[in-house]
Amino acid sequence: MNTHRLTLAALTVLPLVVSCGAEKADGSSVGAAASVKGVHWSVDSVTADGRTSEAPSGAYLRIDEDGGTSGDLGCNSFGGKASVTADHVSFGSLESTGMACEKTPMAFERKLSATLGAGPLALDGSGDRLTLTTGDGDRVRLTKEPDAPLRGTAWKVTALGGDGTSTALPAEADPRLTFDPRTDKVSGSLGCNKVTAKATVRDGHITLGRPSTTRMMCDTSLMKAEKALLRLFDGTVGYRLDHRSLTLTSENGETVHAVAPSGTD
């Protein structure tokens, strides 16, 4: 499988001209920058040359508040930078992985990238729906997917980090943390022992109390990961939600990466 990085010619210097803003529930309008940025846009379908192709699961587009762009064409992911104003967005050079995936028709990826690259694209929609349309009438239909809620989600911890690095947890580890919206507590598993503590969420931060845990002994690798997780407690951590991903950052720069479980987890 080829996993090298490449530049998508069809997505290079992609001008996405927005013709109007989205509409609030009260009927007032908001600018494109407010309605497009920070949203996980799931790709529903692409219509080109009069033929509509349904998107494979996982195809999406996202523009972050700082202009960073990420997405998935159905198999290959891409990233880069975008400049968004009140009425347009312009993409710079976007880079994509170069994998060949058996379960995703590569023809769809080519059609999606070609349609996005045929800009300027007019934007039409409101609420959770957007349609990007080329001058020739080809279009990409998008639906807004909300972030997983911080509270009530059984967050599955997948990696620990610090100093700009991230290390995946041992395969046998399965730590999960749930912030209870009714009791202002966090509880779950550290991978070996169960844990519970007070958790106060406010202004992008979580103040964690002293943890109460069970006292089992497990394999060395599990206990090492558990000790790293315990260092988050009895202090304040910052948190960042990105669709179905959660990052916790301690005051000394240590990070915990977690994901919302799928229906099969």
Side-chain angles (χ1 to χ4, degrees):
M1 180 178 290
N2 184 4
T3 59
H4 67 277
R5 305 290 295 183
L6 57 85
T7 299
L8 280 181
L11 294 178
T12 302
V13 192
L14 173 63
L16 172 58
V17 177
V18 179
S19 60
C20 60
E23 189 171 291
K24 292 182 179 180
D26 62 3
S28 60
S29 62
V30 295
S35 60
V36 173
K37 281 188 173 182
V39 175
H40 184 101
W41 293 107
S42 176
V43 179
D44 296 328
S45 66
V46 177
T47 300
D49 299 324
R51 299 183 62 180
T52 298
S53 299
E54 299 298 320
S57 175
Y60 77 93
L61 170 67
R62 181 183 179 94
I63 302 173
D64 293 328
E65 296 297 336
D66 63 359
T69 304
S70 59
D72 195 296
L73 297 169
C75 167
N76 288 285
S77 58
F78 64 87
K81 298 291 290 185
S83 175
V84 181
T85 66
D87 58 3
H88 73 278
V89 54
S90 299
F91 289 85
S93 177
L94 300 179
E95 290 188 339
S96 169
T97 54
M99 298 184 294
C101 302
E102 295 180 359
K103 295 183 178 180
T104 302
M106 300 308 293
F108 177 86
E109 293 208 348
R110 291 191 292 269
K111 182 181 292 187
L112 175 57
S113 62
T115 304
L116 291 175
L121 306 173
L123 182 150
D124 180 34
S126 62
D128 295 340
R129 303 280 183 173
L130 288 175
T131 301
L132 308 179
T133 306
T134 71
D136 294 331
D138 294 342
R139 57 188 180 274
V140 179
R141 297 189 185 278
L142 308 168
T143 298
K144 177 181 178 180
E145 283 194 15
D147 292 338
L150 173 66
R151 296 179 175 92
T153 299
W155 293 102
K156 181 177 181 178
V157 179
T158 56
L160 304 173
D163 297 325
T165 64
S166 182
T167 303
L169 293 182
E172 63 272 20
D174 190 25
R176 300 186 184 228
L177 298 173
T178 301
F179 297 90
D180 193 318
R182 298 168 297 176
T183 63
D184 285 334
K185 288 186 177 181
V186 61
S187 61
S189 169
L190 298 170
C192 176
N193 288 284
K194 294 181 179 180
V195 64
T196 184
K198 184 176 176 61
T200 303
V201 181
R202 184 179 294 114
D203 299 329
H205 292 81
I206 306 172
T207 301
L208 297 171
R210 187 179 298 275
S212 175
T213 68
T214 54
R215 299 294 180 179
M216 296 188 296
M217 295 297 295
C218 298
D219 292 342
T220 301
S221 60
L222 292 179
M223 297 306 295
K224 183 178 179 180
E226 186 165 293
K227 288 180 180 179
L229 284 172
L230 282 171
R231 288 198 292 269
L232 290 177
F233 291 84
D234 203 14
T236 299
V237 299
Y239 74 91
R240 181 176 182 271
L241 272 173
D242 182 359
H243 188 44
R244 301 186 66 80
S245 298
L246 171 68
T247 301
L248 303 176
T249 305
S250 69
E251 293 174 323
N252 62 5
E254 291 185 284
T255 58
V256 170
H257 303 283
V259 297
S262 66
T264 58
D265 286 348

